[in-house]
Amino acid sequence: MLIYICEDSESDALRLNHHLITFSKEKQYNFEIISFPSGDELVTDFEQSHNWPELLFLDIYMNGKNGIDTARHLRSLGYSGGIIFTTSSTEHAMDSYEVNALYYLQKPYDHIHFINAMERCRHILQNAQQNFTFTLKKKKFSIPYADILFFETGQHTVILHMTSGTVSFPGSLTQITELLCQSDNFVPVGRSFLINLNHVAGRFHNDLLMSDHSIVQIPLRKQDEILAIVERWQQDKQTDAGKNG
């Protein structure tokens, strides 16, 4: 699971990194942690890379672009992952609702407070622990569900679109749909696509805009049904964020 820390205080960043490592050992999670010293550098990385994190710890008071403005910018780019604000003041607590933040972690905090914050993103942690496995050229690959944007039917193949890129492998989209639709966030879009609702950034006319800016076309007969599912999913996420704020 990929986690970003955006913190201009090196000591605070190291402390947060320590909490994450301790938590990962306690819960047996596999975290990859990357730190950024400013919101400007984080935004630059987002604009240049599709390897977006499942969870972002974002300090509010930083030189240059502050945490709230950074979060707004990331959401405008299509980032749909979890955001936890870290700050020494509750001044911007209400602003966290605007960007669907999961938690507002006030400094100084201890490990108990940190665990409370992590409880707010339990669904993200659970999804990150689930993996999709496929075989390509006699080699087996395992991809976290959280890294999957969508599947697409190819010519005698299935095309897997991930946060880190795209790969094709022999297979049947029908079989993959039967497997992954046991998870609430995977939904078939006609016979050609299987999408991860967590990576839907918005609508493009009556089609779906994904977090990597790809367009998933919805069959005309399915438009009302799929768009209603997406809207309901996003409303539920906003409601959960509001309860946890």
Side-chain angles (χ1 to χ4, degrees):
M1 176 178 176
L2 182 59
I3 297 178
Y4 280 4
I5 295 173
C6 188
E7 171 66 70
D8 63 354
S9 166
E10 184 177 356
S11 60
D12 285 345
L14 288 173
R15 191 174 298 111
L16 178 52
N17 190 83
H18 175 74
H19 282 301
L20 284 166
I21 291 174
T22 302
F23 181 82
S24 69
K25 291 178 180 178
E26 292 170 348
K27 303 295 184 180
Q28 296 185 325
Y29 287 123
N30 182 22
F31 290 162
E32 178 186 356
I33 305 168
I34 300 177
S35 295
F36 295 86
S38 72
D40 297 301
E41 291 188 34
L42 175 61
V43 167
T44 298
D45 180 84
F46 266 68
E47 291 175 334
Q48 295 176 350
S49 170
H50 295 316
N51 191 28
W52 293 0
E54 285 79 52
L55 185 60
L56 166 63
F57 286 86
L58 185 56
D59 186 25
I60 289 182
Y61 296 103
M62 298 183 291
N63 294 324
K65 190 186 296 290
N66 68 34
I68 297 296
D69 289 339
T70 299
R72 291 190 183 114
H73 196 151
L74 298 182
R75 292 301 194 206
S76 74
L77 294 174
Y79 178 59
S80 58
I83 295 176
I84 293 178
F85 284 117
T86 61
T87 181
S88 57
S89 169
T90 59
E91 179 183 358
H92 293 282
M94 295 304 297
D95 293 324
S96 65
Y97 290 99
E98 178 189 341
V99 293
N100 297 329
L102 294 172
Y103 201 74
Y104 203 84
L105 190 56
Q106 188 172 359
K107 304 174 185 177
Y109 52 85
D110 58 22
H111 196 62
I112 298 299
H113 293 136
F114 173 82
I115 290 176
N116 290 338
M118 296 301 285
E119 281 294 313
R120 297 300 192 270
C121 50
R122 186 183 306 170
H123 65 288
I124 295 177
L125 297 172
Q126 290 173 342
N127 286 340
Q129 291 304 104
Q130 296 176 292
N131 290 277
F132 172 73
T133 302
F134 64 94
T135 302
L136 180 62
K137 296 180 180 180
K138 299 182 179 180
K139 293 182 64 175
K140 186 170 286 188
F141 298 86
S142 185
I143 306 298
Y145 281 10
D147 291 347
I148 298 172
L149 278 65
F150 62 97
F151 294 87
E152 179 181 2
T153 298
Q155 188 171 6
H156 306 299
T157 63
V158 174
I159 305 170
L160 170 57
H161 298 260
M162 305 168 290
T163 55
S164 57
T166 303
V167 65
S168 299
F169 59 91
S172 163
L173 188 60
T174 300
Q175 293 176 340
I176 295 172
T177 299
E178 291 175 355
L179 172 66
L180 295 190
C181 277
Q182 298 175 24
S183 178
D184 292 341
N185 52 299
F186 284 95
V187 172
V189 178
R191 297 180 179 177
S192 300
F193 298 98
L194 175 67
I195 65 166
N196 184 346
L197 289 168
N198 287 324
H199 282 287
V200 176
R203 290 175 55 172
F204 182 78
H205 302 302
N206 285 323
D207 296 319
L208 299 177
L209 175 66
M210 306 303 291
S211 60
D212 68 340
H213 310 300
S214 297
I215 303 296
V216 169
Q217 295 182 331
I218 308 175
L220 184 61
R221 60 185 174 82
K222 287 280 189 178
Q223 284 181 351
D224 290 343
E225 175 189 350
I226 297 300
L227 292 175
I229 289 172
V230 170
E231 182 178 0
R232 187 162 56 248
W233 180 266
Q234 294 180 338
Q235 286 177 346
D236 288 346
K237 286 180 66 176
Q238 291 178 4
T239 299
D240 289 343
K243 290 178 180 178
N244 296 330

